[in-house]
């Protein structure tokens, strides 16, 4: 089984903010594969289904970003996942331009509190990541306000394509492997064409 985690903050207030792009990608995966993620399990909205021949568990932690690791650990243990790299985390990334994805196996947290929490609770940084670029503000002091702000009108035109690309990246990781997916998606610029 693969555990696919979309990161975000719960509640209407945060629904369309940059920090919640992980939730939107997870919703895209759920919709494409008809996986119901309405059940609340271990502090996350989660649902089990299949992508191709692979069993997957989709999860959106509901304990706010900096506590995401709590529910991820509970799901990991309850469903007896074999390896840390059976966990795929989809999250926003300030260090990437708005219209770019980058896939990665392991690595640091880059200041992302959701990734920090997951690494702490899993006891490892070896989980896989689908990093969705959201760009960055002009000044470092503006980061918190920036990630909690909505996408601009022009960015919203590209968001559906970004979500589709990220869904395809998750599919490729599951059906092939992380290296194959990295070769296909890393560095690709996503437009609204």
């Amino acid at each position: 089984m693969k555990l696919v985690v979309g990161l975000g903050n719960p509640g209407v207030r945060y629904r369309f903010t940059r920090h919640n792009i992980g939730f939107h990608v997870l919703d895209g995966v759920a919709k494409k594969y008809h996986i119901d993620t309405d059940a609340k399990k271990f502090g996350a909205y989660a649902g089990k289904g299949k992508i191709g021949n692979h069993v997957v568990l989709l999860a959106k932690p509901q304990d706010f970003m900096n506590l995401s690791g709590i529910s991820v650990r509970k799901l990991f243990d309850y469903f007896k996942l074999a390896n840390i790299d059976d966990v795929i985390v989809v999250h926003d990334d300030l260090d990437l331009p708005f219209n770019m994805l980058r896939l990665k196996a392991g690595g640091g947290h880059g200041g992302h509190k959701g990734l920090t929490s997951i690494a702490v609770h899993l006891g490892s940084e070896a989980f896989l990541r689908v990093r969705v670029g959201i760009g960055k503000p002009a000044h470092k002091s503006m980061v918190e306000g920036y990630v909690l702000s909505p996408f601009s009108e022009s960015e919203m035109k590209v968001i559906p394509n970004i979500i589709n690309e990220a869904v395809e990246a998750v599919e490729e990781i599951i059906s092939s492997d992380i290296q194959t997916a990295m070769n296909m998606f890393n560095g690709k610029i996503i437009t609204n064409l």
Side-chain angles (χ1 to χ4, degrees):
M1 178 188 286
K2 302 290 184 187
L3 171 58
V4 185
V5 179
L7 294 186
N9 284 310
V12 174
R13 177 182 171 194
Y14 300 105
R15 188 171 179 193
F16 296 110
T17 63
R18 297 170 191 278
H19 226 14
N20 275 34
I21 193 71
F23 276 6
H24 295 294
V25 173
L26 199 90
D27 289 342
V29 175
K31 183 177 179 182
K32 184 170 184 177
Y33 288 95
H34 310 288
I35 300 171
D36 182 1
T37 57
D38 289 340
K40 190 109 181 251
K41 298 175 185 176
F42 305 107
Y45 284 116
K48 201 170 165 185
K50 289 185 103 177
I51 293 179
N53 296 320
H54 303 273
V55 177
V56 296
L57 179 68
L58 306 183
K60 296 189 293 186
Q62 297 296 299
D63 291 325
F64 287 95
M65 189 68 80
N66 60 348
L67 301 173
S68 300
I70 297 169
S71 62
V72 172
R73 180 79 226 194
K74 288 177 181 175
L75 291 164
F76 185 90
D77 290 343
Y78 182 82
F79 288 97
K80 298 178 172 61
L81 271 73
N83 303 298
I84 297 294
D85 64 1
D86 287 331
V87 179
I88 303 164
V89 179
V90 184
H91 65 92
D92 60 297
D93 196 308
L94 282 164
D95 293 326
L96 289 177
F98 162 72
N99 56 349
M100 188 179 284
L101 299 180
R102 187 164 298 279
L103 282 51
K104 192 174 178 186
H109 55 75
H112 195 293
K113 292 183 170 129
L115 296 181
T116 302
S117 178
I118 292 170
V120 166
H121 285 89
L122 290 180
S124 171
E125 294 183 330
F127 51 90
L128 309 182
R129 299 106 190 273
V130 176
R131 301 163 56 200
V132 183
I134 60 167
K136 62 172 65 172
H139 302 287
K140 204 170 187 176
S141 63
M142 301 166 67
V143 165
E144 187 174 336
Y146 180 79
V147 299
L148 296 178
S149 69
F151 290 104
S152 70
E153 193 175 321
S154 62
E155 288 171 333
M156 284 302 292
K157 292 175 183 171
V158 189
I159 288 292
N161 290 353
I162 291 171
I163 290 171
N164 288 340
E165 285 285 315
V167 168
E168 288 179 17
V170 169
E171 292 169 336
E172 193 61 38
I173 292 169
I174 291 167
S175 62
S176 299
D177 55 57
I178 186 65
Q179 192 60 54
T180 302
M182 285 166 64
N183 291 341
M184 288 176 67
F185 292 93
N186 283 0
K188 191 173 177 183
I189 305 295
I190 303 161
T191 67
N192 62 344
L193 299 176

